[in-house]
């Protein structure tokens, strides 16, 4: 499924009434993980209250032990501090990488902003080496902008 048609699906999920924010986040994770062949794990992490850590809120894919990630640790923790997209073509080349699965070869993490503040992120793990392009970054920035609308 092309990114353009997925954008329509994302907007439809965001617009649904009668379901919780968490259900919408899970539906988005499942949509991406099911329709993009190299998105093997998709999750949303959010700042955990006043703590300097991220907490996993919704995901699709294999369960992970990494439900809490300290700021600065791993790719997700680095994005929480840098406020910048982080694309990792080869996780083995990263010193500060938290391995979630032996099958993961690449990762992309895009911060999620609400009113200019980095409140969370979408995290994608791929079992395919170096699959992410600028098109993925742009698409995931769109996803996060849509998600921000239901968090306000």
């Amino acid at each position: 499924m092309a990114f353009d048609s997925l954008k329509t699906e994302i907007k439809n999920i965001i617009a649904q009434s009668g379901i919780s924010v968490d259900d919408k986040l899970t539906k988005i994770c499942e949509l991406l993980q099911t329709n993009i062949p190299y998105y093997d794990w998709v999750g949303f992490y959010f700042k955990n209250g006043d703590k300097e850590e991220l907490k996993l809120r919704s995901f699709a894919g294999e369960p992970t032990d990494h439900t809490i990630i300290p700021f600065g640790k791993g790719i997700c923790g680095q994005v929480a501090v840098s406020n910048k997209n982080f694309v990792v073509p080869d996780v083995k080349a990263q010193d500060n990488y938290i391995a979630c699965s032996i099958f993961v070869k690449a990762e992309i993490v895009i911060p999620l902003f609400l009113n200019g503040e980095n409140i969370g992120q979408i995290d994608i793990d791929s079992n395919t080496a170096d699959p992410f392009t600028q098109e993925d970054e742009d698409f995931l920035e769109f996803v996060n902008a849509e998600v921000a609308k239901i968090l306000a």
Side-chain angles (χ1 to χ4, degrees):
M1 184 178 270
F3 287 129
D4 285 341
S5 56
L6 284 172
K7 286 181 178 181
T8 302
E9 296 284 332
I10 297 289
K11 287 181 178 183
N12 290 341
I13 292 169
I14 296 295
Q16 284 180 353
S17 58
I19 67 169
S20 69
V21 169
D22 285 339
D23 286 344
K24 290 179 183 184
L25 292 174
T26 299
K27 282 183 171 214
I28 290 169
C29 291
E30 290 169 349
L31 177 75
L32 300 183
Q33 195 247 350
T34 303
N35 289 286
I36 302 174
Y38 53 94
Y39 283 21
D40 294 293
W41 190 92
V42 179
F44 284 101
Y45 285 92
F46 288 94
K47 187 172 183 206
N48 191 11
D50 290 334
K51 299 176 184 170
E52 294 286 301
E53 65 185 22
L54 297 163
K55 184 175 183 179
L56 182 62
R57 186 162 170 182
S58 298
F59 72 95
E62 291 292 316
T64 179
D65 292 336
H66 301 114
T67 56
I68 301 289
I69 298 176
F71 282 13
K73 186 150 175 58
I75 308 307
C76 291
Q78 290 177 72
V79 169
V81 174
S82 73
N83 301 319
K84 292 181 171 46
N85 296 355
F86 200 154
V87 180
V88 182
D90 177 6
V91 296
K92 289 185 184 75
Q94 285 295 315
D95 293 336
N96 190 6
Y97 173 69
I98 301 172
C100 295
S101 162
I102 59 168
F103 301 109
V104 174
K105 292 184 171 56
E107 183 173 11
I108 184 170
V109 180
I110 307 294
L112 196 157
F113 294 96
L114 181 63
N115 301 323
E117 180 187 354
N118 181 355
I119 61 159
Q121 54 201 231
I122 190 167
D123 176 24
I124 315 281
D125 289 343
S126 180
N127 300 344
T128 304
D130 196 12
F132 303 115
T133 67
Q134 184 63 50
E135 193 177 13
D136 290 282
E137 284 189 69
D138 296 343
F139 172 68
L140 295 170
E141 287 172 358
F142 164 84
V143 170
N144 281 355
E146 290 297 308
V147 166
K149 294 175 183 177
I150 58 172
L151 300 173

